[in-house]
Amino acid sequence: MKSRWNDEESAAWSGDPVGLRVYTSRLLGAEPDLVLHGGGNTSVKVRARTFLGDEEALLYVKGSGWDLAMIERGGFAPVRLDRLLRLAAFEQLSDAAMVREVRASMTDPDAPTPSIEALAHAVLPFVYVDHTHAAAVLALTNNERADELLAEVYGSRVALLPYIMPGFFLAKQMRQLAEEVDLGAIEGIILRHHGVFTFGDDARTSYERMISLVNEAEAYLESKAPGERYLNADGGEDLEALAELRRGVSRQSERAVIASWDRSPAARGFAAMENVDSLSTRGPVTPDHAIRTKRCPLVVRNSSDEMLEVYAANYRNYFQRFAPAGVEMLDPAPRWIVWPGFGIVSFGKNPAEARAVGDIATQTIRVVQDAERVGSWLALPERDIFAIEYWELEQAKLRRLGAPLPFAGKIALVTGAAAGIGRACVEALHAEGAAVVGLDLNPEVAELEDGDRKGGIVCDLTDHARVRAAVEDVIRRFGGLDLLVSNAGIFTAGAYIEDLDPVNWEKSIAVNLTSHQRLLQYCIPYLKRGVDASAIFIGSRNVQAPGAGAASYSVTKAGLTQLARVAALELAKDGARVNIIHPDAVFDTRLWTPEALQRSAERYGLSVEEYKTRNLLKTEISSADVARMVCAVAGPAFARTTGAQIPVDGGNDRVI
């Protein structure tokens, strides 16, 4: 690890201590081996004038929920330093009281809640204080040989403190250290199973001390295990087993989850280690990780459902052993799984959360292996992990989250997604919380990609090999499939049967019927392993009320309806539902140009507006109306409905 300090960049913040604090905080945040997903915190002490003109000392400390990699000036909370020091002098202070009093000490009520470590930063008598969870240092501290290793690497240049709960107790420990030790004579403080504090009266000193201490730990580990330190392993893939794992975790979670699969050589290598059961289940690298990852992962070796049941039972036992009265148990599902032969799978209510768990898992397996190469990996006792996982401050955060979106954790695939009904379905399902991938021949489908839980794949749905590959891409990306909206279709040139162009007939059959059958065939193995799985086919009013001159379109939609009905019969035993929606006169699609609308309206002797509302309810039907029905049919209101045909047509007298 090397210093990222740049004299030219830092000069832009000359004379602005808070600006320099932002600058070096981002430098720290750019190093995943220092902080992950909101971990770590930084501060700076300044003197400032109040609105009334009084001068006072303030601590600008990172606000809760901010990530050092992207923090801005507004991400720091200004707190009156004298009040923090008085709070730190208390003999006892509950976490709730501490948070309340620290927040009451802020000079800006609109600023974020100060870091839980605000008091610890306050008692260290330096202008700048940096705190990280450096991976290389944790490999030394989380070790049965910790004292020996740290002495060998740092000598007396750092102070070593035992693990203690964050917040008030850590601040009290820091305050006592500051009274007993000349902090000006050391370069930092290392906390067992927690991380590193560095400090200085200028931003560069505090930052570069952190980099130097971490670099020394990295160099020491490299000297003991030069070159490639991690076992590598190749392996195949089993996408159906992945979907099975995800469904099992979803069941234990009592909500759908997204799976993030790390099949890198390093992940496969760790999963292949002979003693991986022991190494991976001793505990997290730092207790803070338990908030996202639980105390340990599940190692899956045979039936995933059986092993998930055992994991859940063990978790309940863990909770019962340590839970005080009145604390509600979190769900007993693992947050990550070690999968020998395949790597590591992480889970979350959305892709971002699953990736965050995966990033922590990746760091964990590296730290564990580094620790083993210089000694023996040692985690904190279960009681200490439980105290963080069920910390009252974290529980309060969970209570403030509110209800999840209806399709949070669900995975959907929509065809014909570049425009019209398909595009509307993608947007509606995404807005309701689902992770959605759209397929379409039109390159514009790629515009759906947002890097998180929405994407588009350019795909000719009559290219069956490409369709299979696209379905498999969805499984690899999110871990399974719950919702299929089979919508793609074309309307070939109208003609009476005696004048039908054979090419148009075959094309209509290929796109409007055969492509749906093959897509469904590829999706069934995953729908059978989905969470409340539902396949929805977009049919047409023409199925029940066909018109002359549209044989190729009407026949294929009738065939599609029959395909869906048979699928409903076949998939019912697996709990997967299949329903059909029959729209009519949806004119906000590319099939209906203004010129085509005008011609059709004139054929009936109507204005365009009259033509668009020529149904019993005299209402216009939009793509969004169909998408809303898709969401309804995919949701709990239709949880006990399969094989149904549902019109979205404003009422048609020929159908009724």
Side-chain angles (χ1 to χ4, degrees):
M1 187 169 295
K2 296 182 178 175
S3 172
R4 294 172 179 256
W5 179 276
N6 180 286
D7 287 333
E8 185 176 338
E9 291 176 355
S10 62
W13 305 106
S14 179
D16 179 3
V18 178
L20 277 172
R21 177 70 287 172
V22 173
Y23 172 66
T24 54
S25 296
R26 287 186 174 183
L27 297 185
L28 293 172
E31 302 282 0
D33 284 342
L34 294 180
V35 293
L36 285 175
H37 302 288
N41 40 70
T42 57
S43 68
V44 60
K45 300 177 181 75
V46 303
R47 296 198 66 82
R49 290 199 176 277
T50 68
F51 182 76
L52 298 176
D54 301 321
E55 188 177 83
E56 59 185 346
L58 300 179
L59 176 79
Y60 275 81
V61 65
K62 191 195 91 165
S64 177
W66 280 82
D67 193 319
L68 289 179
M70 299 174 287
I71 198 164
E72 301 171 358
R73 186 181 294 265
F76 287 91
V79 194
R80 294 181 175 88
L81 185 58
D82 62 335
R83 289 187 54 132
L84 294 180
L85 295 175
R86 291 173 66 185
L87 289 171
F90 276 50
E91 283 301 314
Q92 293 290 332
L93 189 64
S94 72
D95 290 325
M98 179 189 67
V99 171
R100 183 179 64 249
E101 292 303 318
V102 169
R103 190 154 178 85
S105 304
M106 294 167 56
T107 61
D108 181 359
D110 296 325
T113 297
S115 164
I116 194 66
E117 308 289 16
L119 294 187
H121 283 257
V123 300
L124 292 173
F126 299 92
V127 176
Y128 288 89
V129 177
D130 295 353
H131 171 46
T132 74
H133 303 151
V137 176
L138 287 167
L140 304 179
T141 69
N142 298 15
N143 205 300
E144 289 185 351
R145 297 181 56 224
D147 290 343
E148 177 187 345
L149 294 171
L150 291 165
E152 187 174 345
V153 176
Y154 300 118
S156 60
R157 293 182 293 118
V158 300
L160 177 62
L161 292 176
Y163 173 77
I164 197 166
M165 277 282 289
F168 175 73
F169 295 105
L170 176 59
K172 189 175 179 180
Q173 188 183 55
M174 288 285 200
R175 181 171 175 265
Q176 183 177 350
L177 179 70
E179 292 171 351
E180 297 174 352
V181 174
D182 178 9
L183 297 181
I186 62 174
E187 298 173 27
I189 301 169
I190 292 179
L191 288 72
R192 288 180 183 271
H193 301 278
H194 190 150
V196 187
F197 277 84
T198 55
F199 31 76
D201 286 331
D202 65 87
R204 183 171 187 171
T205 296
S206 185
Y207 165 70
E208 291 195 332
R209 278 180 170 175
M210 178 68 69
I211 299 303
S212 177
L213 292 178
V214 175
N215 183 53
E216 288 180 72
E218 291 177 338
Y220 179 81
L221 293 169
E222 178 66 23
S223 72
K224 298 301 180 183
E228 180 56 63
R229 299 198 298 276
Y230 311 114
L231 174 68
N232 288 307
D234 296 322
E237 64 179 20
D238 187 338
L239 296 180
E240 291 183 21
L242 175 64
E244 195 82 44
L245 275 178
R246 174 197 168 247
R247 182 178 65 174
V249 172
S250 296
R251 285 175 173 172
Q252 292 294 344
S253 301
E254 296 186 343
R255 60 179 172 84
V257 296
I258 298 294
S260 177
W261 181 20
D262 180 359
R263 54 193 182 275
S264 66
R268 292 182 190 270
F270 179 78
M273 294 177 71
E274 290 184 4
N275 60 341
V276 70
D277 298 71
S278 169
L279 289 179
S280 63
T281 56
R282 293 178 193 173
V285 168
T286 176
D288 298 46
H289 289 171
I291 296 165
R292 287 187 183 269
T293 66
K294 283 191 162 30
R295 192 185 72 82
C296 63
L298 167 66
V299 182
V300 170
R301 292 193 179 276
N302 45 50
S303 169
S304 60
D305 283 343
E306 289 179 12
M307 298 196 77
L308 282 162
E309 289 290 346
V310 172
Y311 183 97
N314 290 338
Y315 186 83
R316 292 186 186 97
N317 178 269
Y318 158 79
F319 177 81
Q320 290 162 5
R321 281 186 285 123
F322 300 115
V327 175
E328 184 177 348
M329 190 184 81
L330 302 171
D331 72 79
R335 297 300 186 261
W336 61 294
I337 283 176
V338 178
W339 193 13
F342 298 98
I344 288 171
V345 187
S346 305
F347 304 93
K349 62 180 178 291
N350 54 50
E353 184 176 275
R355 285 196 303 273
V357 172
D359 289 344
I360 293 172
T362 298
Q363 186 188 73
T364 297
I365 68 174
R366 292 178 52 214
V367 172
V368 167
Q369 290 179 92
D370 276 344
E372 284 288 295
R373 281 159 176 75
V374 295
S376 180
W377 164 248
L378 180 67
L380 281 168
E382 289 182 329
R383 184 179 295 277
D384 290 316
I385 305 301
F386 184 90
I388 292 290
E389 186 179 354
Y390 283 88
W391 196 6
E392 64 173 309
L393 301 181
E394 292 302 324
Q395 294 295 298
K397 285 183 184 177
L398 292 176
R399 289 192 291 271
R400 291 194 295 268
L401 288 178
L405 291 168
F407 293 132
K410 291 290 193 78
I411 302 161
L413 177 64
V414 180
T415 64
I421 291 173
R423 183 67 172 253
C425 288
V426 168
E427 300 298 347
L429 289 166
H430 182 262
E432 294 290 305
V436 192
V437 175
L439 305 185
D440 203 295
L441 180 62
N442 188 330
E444 291 181 17
V445 74
E447 297 173 4
L448 294 172
E449 186 69 45
D450 71 353
D452 187 9
R453 56 182 180 86
K454 186 171 66 172
I457 298 175
V458 179
C459 179
D460 180 349
L461 289 161
T462 63
D463 181 344
H464 304 309
R466 183 70 187 96
V467 171
R468 181 195 287 271
V471 171
E472 291 175 349
D473 284 346
V474 173
I475 309 306
R476 291 187 194 96
R477 179 170 178 176
F478 298 119
L481 181 64
D482 308 309
L483 308 174
L484 170 64
V485 182
S486 203
N487 162 72
I490 58 172
F491 191 98
T492 54
Y496 282 90
I497 295 172
E498 64 178 318
D499 300 321
L500 261 178
D501 182 344
V503 172
N504 282 345
W505 173 267
E506 295 295 339
K507 187 176 181 181
S508 185
I509 293 287
V511 175
N512 292 350
L513 184 55
T514 303
S515 75
H516 292 260
Q517 177 267 321
R518 297 299 289 270
L519 172 68
L520 179 61
Q521 187 175 32
Y522 302 143
C523 290
I524 281 176
Y526 308 110
L527 291 171
K528 289 165 68 173
R529 294 166 174 83
V531 180
D532 185 26
S534 177
I536 300 169
F537 288 81
I538 305 301
S540 169
R541 181 268 298 170
N542 283 29
V543 171
Q544 295 170 320
S552 60
Y553 180 78
S554 299
V555 167
T556 55
K557 287 295 186 178
L560 182 64
T561 300
Q562 198 73 343
L563 173 69
R565 294 174 68 198
V566 173
L569 295 171
E570 294 181 357
L571 295 181
K573 65 181 183 300
D574 298 296
R577 299 178 286 121
V578 184
N579 293 289
I580 310 104
I581 293 175
H582 292 312
D584 183 38
V586 181
F587 295 115
D588 60 342
T589 70
R590 290 179 177 173
L591 291 174
W592 288 97
T593 63
E595 294 76 19
L597 266 173
Q598 187 65 46
R599 286 195 301 270
S600 294
E602 289 174 353
R603 190 163 61 247
Y604 287 90
L606 301 172
S607 68
V608 168
E609 289 307 310
E610 289 172 333
Y611 179 70
K612 290 165 71 175
T613 59
R614 61 188 185 98
N615 51 58
L616 295 178
L617 294 177
K618 300 301 180 185
T619 185
E620 187 173 341
I621 311 299
S622 68
S623 296
D625 294 322
V626 180
R628 279 190 288 271
M629 182 59 79
V630 165
C631 289
V633 173
F638 282 76
R640 289 161 178 79
T641 301
T642 193
Q645 300 183 52
I646 304 156
V648 182
D649 58 8
N652 185 288
D653 54 358
R654 293 178 61 205
V655 172
I656 294 174

